[in-house]
Amino acid sequence: MTVLKKSQPTKLALFTALTTALMITSGCQSLKTANATNQPIGTVQGQPKKLESFNITGKIGVTTPSKDNSGNQGGSAFYAWGQQNDRFAIELIGALGIGKTNIEYNGQSATLVSEKTGTLTADDPETLLKKATGWQAPISQMPYWISGRPAPSDSAPQLDAQNRLISSVNGEWQASFTYKGNDKLPNKISAMQSQGNKVVMTIDHQK
């Protein structure tokens, strides 16, 4: 996997960009900065409630099999993700071979802007990311997984002794979750497909 030499972007710069993006996609509504670790979790049939808004940062790595059978290819990026209900904005730095990238989703359509591709649109963020980079990632499931609960389309969720989600299946994706200490929200998500696609995402829940 490619190791980035760029330094991690400042949180202030990233969240300024994310706040602006979400204000646009939500019709100039203000972005609530959620304290994800202290936000009431609640339970629905024993599972944590999906966070309606959150701000997270971290690093994402993607591995995919090459088309010519020469082995796996990979890339990584630092990210900042702002979520408000069904809308989100993601900024990627060192973005998987296409430069600085912004992905926005307004609940109905997704837009990607990067230095290499210009502006691209699609019905969903997964299609958009694959169109721009060739990489596959289960972006639509992530807001649930980041909240420590299965997505509605998941199957076979497994819990640990503290009732925390440790694995779940979504179609061809098998996801696993790790936690720091007794935290209820995961600090790392790994998702794999049998075809060889893999996504590893570290998570820092911002206060």
Side-chain angles (χ1 to χ4, degrees):
M1 183 175 292
T2 304
V3 178
L4 293 178
K5 295 183 179 179
K6 294 183 179 180
S7 60
Q8 188 169 3
T10 64
K11 296 175 182 176
L12 178 59
L14 289 174
F15 286 136
T16 298
L18 289 173
T19 300
T20 301
L22 281 172
M23 287 177 66
I24 294 172
T25 59
S26 62
C28 295
Q29 294 179 9
S30 61
L31 172 64
K32 297 179 180 179
T33 303
N35 182 348
T37 54
N38 292 332
Q39 184 170 337
I41 299 298
T43 58
V44 178
Q45 296 181 345
Q47 292 299 304
K49 183 178 179 181
K50 177 178 175 288
L51 299 174
E52 294 303 325
S53 63
F54 58 76
N55 291 323
I56 60 173
T57 60
K59 189 174 183 180
I60 184 170
V62 179
T63 303
T64 191
S66 64
K67 296 180 180 180
D68 58 4
N69 297 320
S70 61
N72 290 336
Q73 298 177 334
S76 60
F78 293 109
Y79 76 86
W81 182 321
Q83 182 90 21
Q84 186 179 63
N85 299 318
D86 292 333
R87 301 180 298 272
F88 62 75
I90 305 171
E91 184 170 20
L92 301 165
I93 302 295
L96 310 175
I98 61 172
K100 180 181 177 182
T101 299
N102 291 281
I103 302 174
E104 299 175 18
Y105 182 67
N106 63 10
Q108 297 180 331
S109 62
T111 302
L112 180 148
V113 181
S114 79
E115 298 166 353
K116 182 177 180 180
T117 66
T119 300
L120 300 174
T121 60
D123 290 339
D124 58 78
E126 288 87 356
T127 300
L128 196 60
L129 184 65
K130 188 173 182 180
K131 183 191 296 186
T133 68
W135 309 122
Q136 296 188 52
I139 301 175
S140 296
Q141 285 72 45
M142 284 296 178
Y144 293 91
W145 292 351
I146 289 165
S147 303
R149 65 164 295 150
S153 54
D154 281 9
S155 61
Q158 300 292 320
L159 309 178
D160 66 7
Q162 299 185 50
N163 204 38
R164 300 180 300 189
L165 183 67
I166 55 174
S167 68
S168 198
V169 177
N170 190 281
E172 298 178 341
W173 289 98
Q174 170 74 50
S176 61
F177 306 80
T178 59
Y179 299 81
K180 182 179 180 180
N182 293 319
D183 287 353
K184 298 298 184 182
L185 300 176
N187 69 341
K188 183 177 180 181
I189 299 173
S190 300
M192 298 182 64
Q193 280 183 322
S194 59
Q195 298 95 324
N197 294 297
K198 182 178 181 180
V199 177
V200 178
M201 181 176 175
T202 63
I203 305 168
D204 181 11
H205 297 271
Q206 300 300 306
K207 297 182 178 181

